[in-house]
């Protein structure tokens, strides 16, 4: 065969494979009641297709995903495709009243979007009230056919979804808290792939088990789908190599513990290289806020080697629940795989500098009532002292597209209105600072603007590591640290070469993190704390990214079946 003919054949094979790889992957989700027996009692939950977790979706980079969602549950539903860029498909992003009105009981909506320039592990979850406690599942994006992972191909891939379980209807739990102004009840258990594991009552036969073969390598796709808790994850006697976070490749990082906040994903390789036997994998809380009650229990599953006759698995030693040094070491040691698949260099020129405080606070209890929150008031939370409220009547994205004013206000401040010693514990009970006004205040960005945000935790009420999630964009994490951000010295330590790329950043407790992204997607993009408890309290804002000059930078009209309010 002549060399030219050979090249031509190769080229056409490549073309065929890249065309074949741009598949349309279509699924249906039936959201409805499911009765499950957990922790000694029966509980009705809302779930997709009768399973917890819901179905795992598998696509390749370049595919179009089409999901028909039928709401056969008694509650309003929306589904968010957590971490998906939604380039020009903001109508499919899913946060209730941000990009759509909810799918009301008895109706349906089709989410349709392309999955481009990202691969790894993401997930889908309900983005309305607290329903993501039980309405969630994995969304796995493999490389296009003909492309490979930037690490040795594992023998097997296994989703590990960490969840949180209530012996109660989670809607009732939320409504009770919102009615009183207090904190919602803590969960009763954590789960691995929907199962609490044998440390909980009546759960001996509800322990997730992974069978492994001696010498083989496994890719664990770890998803923190818990509502309100960061988690430590360990496997007894086994090292893990982190290769990807939030569907973005990392330099391989070897660790014996993974730390993960709600919303985050962590892909690790493990090799079954220990003596044939059985080993527990376990997840326990990382609770960063001093004095704030939390579910202090441990879920565990079993990694069992083929041929093992070990009677009792070996248990890993879990970090203390307040082990911030371990959490910080893990988070800050991660680096991005610069030059790897889909790597985007760090933007060097900044158009918008923002400094955003994140923390909790208070809202008046109302009337002469007494609320269970501090000082007899309601809990509240805010960014730059704006406590975010969802609009009613029309979603923000519809308001953007149809030029409807009065749904949101374009005045989110670039800096906090009051400068104070943000992380000094002495300000935690300063009543002159604690009350946060409610608003639906957004930051408007020009198409393609580059944005740098310093996220600064405050000590108001209590310092806490808040996992801040941005819809529609990944960002580079340039630096993070404790105390008040120092605008003179901290930039000297920015990693502009291979910073990690994420969609959710755990801002260190009593500290700060600096992120950068390019606003190259018109629409309305929610930025919020992924501790579900803080969302209705107002720990959120949104970016309204204007259209660019071309059709390729303009948000298309909504699909005909977009739910109406
Ligand atoms: C969900 O269930 C429906 C009805 O049984 C089925 O047609 C559909 O394929 C299921 N979807 C997934 C993603 O498994
Ligand atoms: C679903 O569960 C809710 C809450 O338990 C209940 O109110 C409702 O009647 C159930 N719906 C159906 C169709 O079973
Ligand atoms: C929350 O916990 C309290 C105290 O245990 C209990 O009385 C209440 O019923 C719980 N609320 C819900 C909605 O389960
Ligand atoms: C698990 O154990 C419970 C009792 O603790 C029992 O009711 C249930 O049937 C068992 N389930 C299975 C699948 O064995
Ligand atoms: C959480 O549980 C662990 C293990 O039982 C215990 O050592 C620790 O004191 C508990 N922490 C809190 C804050 O209750
Ligand atoms: C990893 O974290 C530790 C503890 O925070 C720090 O001393 C070390 O320099 C970090 N290593 C890298 C490569 O970032
Ligand atoms: C609050 O209490 C005062 C004095 O008892 C009473 O005059 C007032 O009407 C009450 N206000 C409300 C909103 O209940
Ligand atoms: C919204 O306003 C923009 C700019 O004024 C205009 O180009 C666009 O056509 C308007 N859209 C609608 C749906 O009215
Ligand atoms: C906090 O206040 C106390 C009492 O006023 C004072 O002694 C202490 O130095 C203050 N701490 C800081 C970090 O400012
Ligand atoms: C937040 O705004 C309220 C109302 O303007 C003000 O009283 C309070 O001091 C502000 N707090 C902070 C931390 O900026
Ligand atoms: C937006 O930025 C991209 C990447 O830098 C560039 O290719 C594109 O031309 C820009 N578009 C506009 C409208 O500025
Ligand atoms: C469900 O959505 C409809 C339509 O937007 C809205 O009118 C209703 O208040 C919502 N129900 C709840 C419980 O939020
Ligand atoms: Cu999210």
């Amino acid at each position: 065969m002549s060399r030219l003919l050979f090249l031509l054949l190769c080229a056409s094979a490549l073309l065929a494979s890249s065309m074949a790889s741009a598949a349309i992957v279509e699924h249906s989700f039936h959201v409805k009641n499911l009765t499950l027996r957990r922790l000694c009692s029966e509980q009705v939950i809302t779930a997709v297709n009768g399973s917890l977790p819901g179905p795992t979706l598998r696509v390749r980079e370049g595919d179009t995903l089409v999901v028909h969602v039928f709401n056969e549950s008694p509650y309003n539903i929306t589904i968010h495709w957590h971490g998906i860029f939604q380039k020009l498909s903001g109508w499919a992003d899913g946060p209730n009243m941000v990009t759509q009105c909810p799918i009301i009981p008895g109706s349906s909506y089709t989410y349709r979007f392309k999955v481009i320039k990202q691969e790894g592990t993401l997930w889908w979850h309900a983005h309305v009230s607290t329903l993501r406690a039980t309405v969630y599942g994995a969304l796995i994006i493999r490389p296009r056919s003909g492309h490979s992972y930037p690490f040795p191909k594992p023998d097997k891939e296994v989703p590990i979804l960490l969840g949180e379980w209530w012996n109660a209807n989670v809607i009732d739990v939320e409504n009770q808290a919102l009615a009183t102004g207090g904190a919602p009840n803590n969960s009763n258990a954590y789960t691995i792939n929907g199962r609490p594991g044998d440390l909980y009552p009546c759960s001996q036969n509800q322990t997730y088990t992974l069978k492994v073969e001696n010498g083989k390598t496994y890719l664990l796709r770890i998803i923190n789908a818990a509502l309100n808790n960061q988690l430590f994850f360990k496997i007894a006697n086994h090292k893990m190599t982190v290769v990807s976070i939030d569907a973005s490749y990392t330099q391989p990082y070897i660790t014996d513990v993974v730390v993960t906040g709600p919303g985050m994903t962590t892909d690790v390789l493990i090799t079954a290289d220990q003596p044939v036997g059985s080993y527990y994998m376990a997840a326990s809380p990382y609770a960063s806020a001093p004095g704030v009650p939390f579910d202090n229990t441990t879920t565990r599953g079993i990694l069992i080697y083929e041929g093992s006759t070990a009677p009792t698995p070996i248990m890993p030693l879990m970090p203390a629940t307040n082990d911030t040094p371990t959490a910080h070491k893990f988070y800050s040691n991660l680096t991005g795989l610069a030059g790897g698949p889909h790597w985007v260099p760090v933007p060097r020129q900044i158009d918008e500098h923002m400094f955003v405080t994140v923390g909790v606070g208070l809202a008046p209890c109302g009337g002469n009532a007494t609320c269970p929150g501090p000082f007899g008031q309601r809990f509240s939370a805010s960014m730059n002292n704006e406590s975010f409220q969802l609009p009613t009547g029309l979603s923000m994205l519809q308001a953007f597209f149809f030029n409807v004013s009065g749904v949101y206000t374009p005045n989110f401040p670039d800096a906090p209105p009051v400068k104070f010693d943000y992380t000094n514990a002495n300000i935690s009970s300063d009543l002159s600072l604690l009350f946060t006004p409610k608003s639906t205040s957004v930051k408007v960005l020009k198409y393609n603007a580059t944005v740098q945000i310093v996220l600064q935790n405050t000590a108001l009420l209590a310092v806490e590591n808040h996992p801040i999630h941005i819809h529609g964009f990944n960002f580079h994490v340039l630096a993070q640290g404790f105390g008040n951000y120092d605008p003179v010295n901290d930039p000297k330590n920015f990693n502009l070469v291979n910073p990690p790329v994420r969609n959710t950043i755990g801002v260190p407790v009593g500290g700060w993190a600096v992120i950068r992204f390019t606003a190259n997607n018109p629409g309305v993009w929610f930025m919020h704390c992924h501790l579900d408890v803080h969302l209705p309290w107002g720990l959120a804002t949104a970016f309204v990214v204007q259209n660019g000059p071309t059709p390729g930078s303009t948000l298309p009209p909504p699909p005909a079946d977009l739910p109406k309010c």
Side-chain angles (χ1 to χ4, degrees), residues 26-312:
E26 195 164 354
H27 287 290
S28 295
F29 276 11
H30 293 264
V31 189
K32 52 181 192 289
N33 281 1
L34 172 68
T35 305
L36 286 185
R37 203 177 168 80
R38 288 284 184 280
L39 281 73
C40 314
S41 57
E42 289 206 333
Q43 183 60 51
V44 179
I45 64 166
T46 307
V48 171
N49 275 22
S51 74
L52 178 75
T56 295
L57 301 183
R58 292 186 169 85
V59 299
R60 287 179 184 277
E61 194 268 325
D63 288 353
T64 297
L65 186 56
V66 179
V67 183
H68 309 285
V69 176
F70 299 92
N71 185 2
E72 295 154 18
S73 87
Y75 303 116
N76 286 348
I77 290 290
T78 73
I79 305 285
H80 170 51
W81 315 91
H82 185 112
I84 291 282
F85 293 147
Q86 299 292 6
K87 200 72 176 281
L88 303 184
S89 56
W91 302 109
D93 191 39
N96 184 41
M97 298 315 291
V98 178
T99 61
Q100 66 167 101
C101 299
I103 310 168
I104 60 171
S107 68
S108 67
Y109 177 48
T110 296
Y111 293 86
R112 188 185 303 267
F113 52 90
K114 281 189 174 153
V115 182
I116 36 176
K117 295 186 182 166
Q118 54 187 163
E119 56 194 63
T121 305
L122 292 175
W123 59 301
W124 53 265
H125 62 80
H127 211 304
V128 53
S129 61
T130 44
L131 284 171
R132 77 173 173 85
T134 56
V135 177
Y136 67 87
L139 169 45
I140 291 168
I141 309 163
R142 293 212 179 79
R144 283 175 198 242
S145 61
H147 294 239
S148 51
Y149 295 127
F151 48 82
K153 192 178 182 314
D155 294 296
K156 205 174 168 210
E157 305 185 3
V158 185
I160 300 283
L161 291 104
L162 307 176
E164 212 173 342
W165 175 266
W166 276 258
N167 291 331
N169 180 328
V170 292
I171 300 277
D172 296 345
V173 172
E174 176 173 47
N175 287 345
Q176 185 181 46
L178 294 179
T180 64
N185 286 359
N186 285 326
S187 53
N188 299 99
Y190 300 105
T191 56
I192 298 177
N193 290 339
R195 300 168 204 223
D198 61 1
L199 287 172
Y200 296 96
C202 312
S203 306
Q204 284 69 22
N205 62 0
Q206 292 192 331
T207 304
Y208 170 70
T209 302
L210 174 61
K211 285 216 170 83
V212 298
E213 260 183 77
N214 202 1
K216 298 225 155 143
T217 297
Y218 298 80
L219 176 64
L220 304 187
R221 299 174 176 276
I222 304 164
I223 297 167
N224 187 344
L227 231 52
N228 293 328
N229 287 91
Q230 304 215 28
L231 295 164
F232 293 115
F233 177 83
K234 287 181 81 169
I235 306 173
N237 296 11
H238 288 74
K239 294 258 186 247
M240 299 176 269
T241 304
V242 179
V243 291
S244 173
I245 50 173
D246 296 4
S248 161
Y249 291 118
T250 61
Q251 305 216 31
Y253 175 65
I254 299 171
T255 180
D256 67 347
V257 60
V258 161
V259 190
T260 174
M264 297 179 186
T265 71
T266 317
D267 289 357
V268 303
L269 294 171
I270 59 156
T271 300
D273 57 5
Q274 294 301 305
V276 169
S278 69
Y279 302 84
Y280 278 117
M281 60 176 83
S284 61
Y286 164 46
S288 61
V292 175
F294 61 98
D295 173 357
N296 189 11
T297 62
T298 299
T299 178
R300 63 186 186 181
I302 299 171
L303 183 92
I304 185 162
Y305 282 60
E306 252 176 39
S308 165
T309 52
T312 323

Side-chain angles (χ1 to χ4, degrees), residues 365-378:
C365 187
N368 292 338
T370 301
C371 289
F375 304 101
Q377 306 295 330
R378 295 183 153 269

Side-chain angles (χ1 to χ4, degrees), residues 253 324-335 482:
Y253 175 65
T324 289
T326 292
H328 187 66
K329 178 179 178 195
F330 178 81
Y331 284 142
S332 61
N333 274 194
L334 297 171
T335 50
F482 295 100

Side-chain angles (χ1 to χ4, degrees), residues 89-94 97-100 391 394-403 407-408 522-525 543-545 555-556 558 562:
S89 56
W91 302 109
D93 191 39
M97 298 315 291
V98 178
T99 61
Q100 66 167 101
L394 194 66
S395 75
M396 297 168 76
L397 192 58
Q398 287 167 295
F400 167 76
F401 185 83
F402 294 105
N403 298 329
V407 174
Y408 54 79
V524 179
W525 306 107
F543 295 104
V544 170
V545 180
L555 178 72
L562 184 77

